Amino acid sequence: MQENRCATAEEVALLRERVARVEGAHDYLQTGLDALLRQFADLRRDLTQSVDENASRTRHEIMGRVEAIGRMAQQRDTAVSDRLARIEGGIRLANWITATLMTIATAVLGWSQLGEALWHFLISLVNHPGAF
């Protein structure tokens, strides 16, 4: 059987000292854990703010580039429209000139045929005065 024994005052004092050290270490660990939690919360807040700022800046840059591309496309469209309008005007002018020249040529040919017929009639009158 075991014999029950009582701790001496020195042993109790030593045990109390050890318990105090453990409690002190626990308090120290709790303080350190609280500090780490605060640091993590601060870090999360700073990271979130930084990500939000970067996203805003990126959105702003992208929208600026999209607007610049839109302006350039509009300028190109305007330039192409101007060129097409000039080409269309040139084609209309060429068509008008062609139609005018064809009309003049047709009129000249008609008048020349009429003149030639009149000339032959007059020659035949002179050569055969009694034929008519």
Side-chain angles (χ1 to χ4, degrees), residues 17-27:
E17 189 178 309
R18 286 183 182 166
V19 168
R21 271 191 254 146
V22 168
E23 285 178 350
H26 178 266
D27 290 344

Side-chain angles (χ1 to χ4, degrees), residues 62-77:
I62 289 172
M63 292 308 296
R65 290 178 186 169
V66 167
E67 288 173 6
I69 289 170
R71 281 191 303 271
M72 287 178 2
Q74 187 176 9
Q75 290 170 349
R76 279 195 307 266
D77 289 349

Side-chain angles (χ1 to χ4, degrees), residues 110-127:
W111 282 105
S112 76
Q113 287 176 350
L114 188 62
E116 187 178 343
L118 185 59
W119 178 257
H120 285 296
F121 175 72
L122 290 175
I123 295 291
S124 66
L125 261 178
V126 171
N127 291 336

Side-chain angles (χ1 to χ4, degrees), residues 6-18:
C6 293
T8 64
E10 286 177 7
E11 292 173 333
V12 170
L14 187 61
L15 186 61
R16 283 185 180 163
E17 189 178 309
R18 286 183 182 166

Side-chain angles (χ1 to χ4, degrees), residues 1-127:
M1 254 215 193
Q2 238 178 0
E3 190 178 315
N4 288 340
R5 106 175 167 77
C6 293
T8 64
E10 286 177 7
E11 292 173 333
V12 170
L14 187 61
L15 186 61
R16 283 185 180 163
E17 189 178 309
R18 286 183 182 166
V19 168
R21 271 191 254 146
V22 168
E23 285 178 350
H26 178 266
D27 290 344
Y28 176 76
L29 288 175
Q30 186 64 41
T31 302
L33 183 60
D34 290 342
L36 282 175
L37 288 175
R38 277 192 307 276
Q39 288 174 354
F40 281 130
D42 293 345
L43 179 62
R44 187 181 63 195
R45 183 197 66 229
D46 293 344
L47 286 175
T48 302
Q49 183 179 0
S50 177
V51 167
D52 289 344
E53 289 172 358
N54 285 338
S56 176
R57 194 169 34 252
T58 301
R59 266 192 310 276
H60 182 71
E61 288 174 8
I62 289 172
M63 292 308 296
R65 290 178 186 169
V66 167
E67 288 173 6
I69 289 170
R71 281 191 303 271
M72 287 178 2
Q74 187 176 9
Q75 290 170 349
R76 279 195 307 266
D77 289 349
T78 301
V80 167
S81 293
D82 290 345
R83 284 187 213 143
L84 288 175
R86 285 194 305 271
I87 290 169
E88 186 177 298
I91 289 172
R92 284 184 185 159
L93 179 63
N95 286 342
W96 181 84
I97 290 172
T98 302
T100 302
L101 289 176
M102 289 173 70
T103 303
I104 291 171
T106 304
V108 167
L109 284 174
W111 282 105
S112 76
Q113 287 176 350
L114 188 62
E116 187 178 343
L118 185 59
W119 178 257
H120 285 296
F121 175 72
L122 290 175
I123 295 291
S124 66
L125 261 178
V126 171
N127 291 336

